Amino acid sequence: METIRLGQNGPAVTPLCIGTWAWGDKLFWNYGSDYDVNQLREAFKAALEAGTTFFDTAEIYGFGQSEEFLAQFLQQTTQPVQIATKFAPFPWRFTGQSVSDALTDSLKRLQLQKVPLYQVHWPFTFLLSQETLMNTLADEVQRGRIEAVGVSNYSAEQMREAHELLARRGVHLAVNQVRYSLITRQIETNGILDTAKELGVTILAYSPLAQGLLSGKYSADNTETPTGARRIDPRFSKDGLRKLEPVLSLLRQIGAKRDHTPAQVALNWLIAQGNVIPIAGAKTAAQVKQNAGALGWKLSEDEFTQLDLATRS
């Protein structure tokens, strides 16, 4: 399996990451209703079988349960697996010690001595200064409990500040995890993508299928009814889906030519950029296999350009 390095000198990981927000989460994903730990275990196994060994989690996913599930599944394999997790800068965390304590708790839940990637979940840190936060993360790199440091949802300016603070300690900022897909391309115009390239920071793209809009599952003509948050998202309305139809049609067209699904084409478009790793959420083995179909092939320059032009705002 081809690998990509996180940042300038971070760990090498697979070019597709499995997102585990839904693992144990009941608030947004209804864990325990139409899927449970058995489906998640099979999804984990399917990922390893497909050679996709990079997983993204966070301490707030399922209030720690996502990390605990990963620990449980890790005990059942000898295959090397790369885990990324995240620190939540809650208002009551305003000291360096609170950052270290949160990392300790995540490591306990994961049953690991260190994590390949530790990320700050959002940039607003209340009373915790970025200087204290980044210095503590640099300390943890030196202690050996973190291999690489990342941020999430940071603007270009915030990413540059984090990079500079870490660089003073001899640590490179490895990633910025942001929303990015064929139809969510703000990072190309707000400076995030250009700054990431300049600084050697890898982009981890969450919601790479735009909550399923690019999967081909929804269209203005079918009877599939959006559920949950999608129900109030105007993009999933009949009008929204009609506007998106030219893009979906192109994804289907390219997919049919290459014997791949629209979702696999959309994920491959991100992977083809070289410094972007999509995080594709999965709750079942079938979803993992579907996502893994984005690997092992590459869009032609012409196909990439067609998709690029069709989705530029």
Side-chain angles (χ1 to χ4, degrees):
M1 172 67 71
E2 178 190 353
T3 60
I4 179 171
R5 191 162 295 284
L6 297 179
Q8 295 182 24
N9 58 0
V13 299
T14 50
L16 178 69
C17 181
I18 304 297
T20 65
W21 180 15
W23 293 25
D25 181 88
K26 295 179 181 178
L27 290 177
F28 295 93
W29 295 106
N30 262 345
Y31 171 76
S33 57
D34 58 343
Y35 69 104
D36 60 21
V37 64
N38 296 313
Q39 278 75 41
L40 299 181
R41 184 182 295 106
E42 292 307 310
F44 180 83
K45 288 180 183 175
L48 299 196
E49 287 169 5
T52 309
T53 56
F54 184 29
F55 293 80
D56 179 75
T57 185
E59 62 174 341
I60 64 171
Y61 293 171
F63 301 106
Q65 197 161 19
S66 176
E67 291 178 327
E68 289 170 354
F69 280 143
L70 277 167
Q72 183 180 328
F73 305 153
L74 283 169
Q75 303 309 309
Q76 298 163 8
T77 182
T78 56
Q79 197 169 339
V81 174
Q82 304 279 48
I83 303 292
T85 193
K86 305 183 200 73
F87 163 78
F90 294 124
W92 55 86
R93 289 175 168 168
F94 52 85
T95 65
Q97 188 59 50
S98 67
V99 180
S100 292
D101 290 345
L103 173 60
T104 297
D105 290 341
S106 278
L107 290 172
K108 282 179 180 175
R109 285 189 292 269
L110 288 164
Q111 296 180 42
L112 295 173
Q113 298 299 310
K114 68 173 184 177
V115 282
L117 176 65
Y118 196 56
Q119 304 155 97
V120 182
H121 211 145
W122 56 82
F124 188 57
T125 55
F126 301 92
L127 299 176
L128 176 65
S129 72
Q130 288 293 321
E131 188 167 6
T132 298
L133 174 56
M134 294 303 155
N135 273 324
T136 304
L137 295 176
D139 288 342
E140 293 295 351
V141 170
Q142 291 173 355
R143 286 180 66 185
R145 299 207 301 169
I146 299 172
E147 193 171 345
V149 175
V151 294
S152 182
N153 299 304
Y154 273 48
S155 69
E157 294 76 16
Q158 290 164 338
M159 179 171 46
R160 190 178 295 281
E161 181 190 11
H163 177 272
E164 289 173 359
L165 289 168
L166 289 169
R168 292 175 195 168
R169 299 288 307 279
V171 175
H172 291 285
L173 179 66
V175 310
N176 189 5
Q177 184 176 146
V178 290
R179 188 186 302 273
Y180 189 30
S181 74
L182 261 172
I183 58 170
T184 316
R185 301 178 59 178
Q186 287 86 346
I187 71 165
E188 297 175 359
T189 54
N190 63 15
I192 290 176
L193 191 61
D194 288 341
T195 303
K197 287 177 181 175
E198 176 196 337
L199 300 178
V201 173
T202 301
I203 293 292
L204 295 191
Y206 70 79
S207 200
L209 297 176
Q211 297 296 317
L213 272 171
L214 298 173
S215 68
K217 180 179 179 181
Y218 303 96
S219 75
D221 300 323
N222 71 17
T223 56
E224 183 74 38
T225 304
T227 58
R230 296 182 181 93
R231 193 171 291 174
I232 57 172
D233 187 333
R235 299 179 304 172
F236 286 87
S237 68
K238 293 287 185 186
D239 285 344
L241 289 166
R242 283 193 191 97
K243 288 177 186 173
L244 191 60
E245 183 53 37
V247 177
L248 294 174
S249 178
L250 181 57
L251 286 170
R252 287 192 292 267
Q253 177 189 328
I254 293 173
K257 228 176 16 173
R258 291 183 161 274
D259 195 25
H260 285 289
T261 66
Q264 290 164 353
V265 174
L267 291 172
N268 193 277
W269 182 85
L270 289 169
I271 294 168
Q273 298 187 47
N275 196 41
V276 175
I277 301 174
I279 303 174
K283 298 178 288 188
T284 66
Q287 289 172 344
V288 168
K289 290 172 185 174
Q290 159 71 225
N291 295 336
L295 298 171
W297 61 283
K298 190 174 181 180
L299 289 164
S300 69
E301 284 187 28
D302 182 55
E303 290 166 336
F304 183 93
T305 302
Q306 285 182 63
L307 288 165
D308 181 42
L309 294 174
T311 55
R312 276 189 188 171
S313 53

